[in-house]
Amino acid sequence: MASLWLGTLIQVWLHLSIPGSVLGMLILFIALASGLLPVSWVKPGASLFIRYMVFLFVPISVGLMTHFDTLIENALPIFASAIGGTVIVLICMGLLLDRMLKKEHH
């Protein structure tokens, strides 16, 4: 909860367009990865959420069923953007990795 509060506080203070909850998750990740926050403190709550995670997807599923006709009408643009975006990311990452590996060898 402290990381969520801190993330929201940073978002409000700096007038960022990134949600405070996302900043809070980044703060939590950094605290866990650096060892500032022991995993044992977070594990019980995380286990509880993972156990009941399926219930968190029920509203999304109902929303998809409610708007199924809109999804079908726009299936081609949705798939094209998903595939196109994936291809663009793969190409950019491949070029970046190639450039980085060439710098290491020189």
Side-chain angles (χ1 to χ4, degrees), residues 5-106:
W5 178 81
L6 187 59
T8 304
L9 192 66
I10 291 170
Q11 189 259 335
V12 169
W13 276 355
L14 298 177
H15 304 287
L16 299 174
S17 60
I18 301 171
S21 58
V22 173
L23 293 173
M25 289 298 289
L26 287 172
I27 292 168
L28 180 62
F29 172 74
I30 291 168
L32 287 169
S34 67
L36 292 172
L37 181 67
V39 175
S40 61
W41 289 6
V42 179
K43 195 170 186 175
S47 297
L48 180 69
F49 276 119
I50 289 171
R51 184 178 307 139
Y52 297 108
M53 187 180 290
V54 70
F55 295 117
L56 299 175
F57 289 102
V58 171
I60 296 170
S61 302
V62 170
L64 286 174
M65 288 187 285
T66 304
H67 300 289
F68 189 73
D69 55 336
T70 306
L71 288 172
I72 293 298
E73 291 172 6
N74 297 305
L76 186 61
I78 291 170
F79 284 126
S81 62
I83 292 169
T86 302
V87 169
I88 290 170
V89 168
L90 286 173
I91 290 171
C92 290
M93 290 305 294
L95 292 172
L96 179 67
L97 181 62
D98 187 50
R99 183 173 286 172
M100 289 174 66
L101 290 176
K102 284 181 182 175
K103 280 186 179 181
E104 281 185 9
H105 292 303
H106 286 89

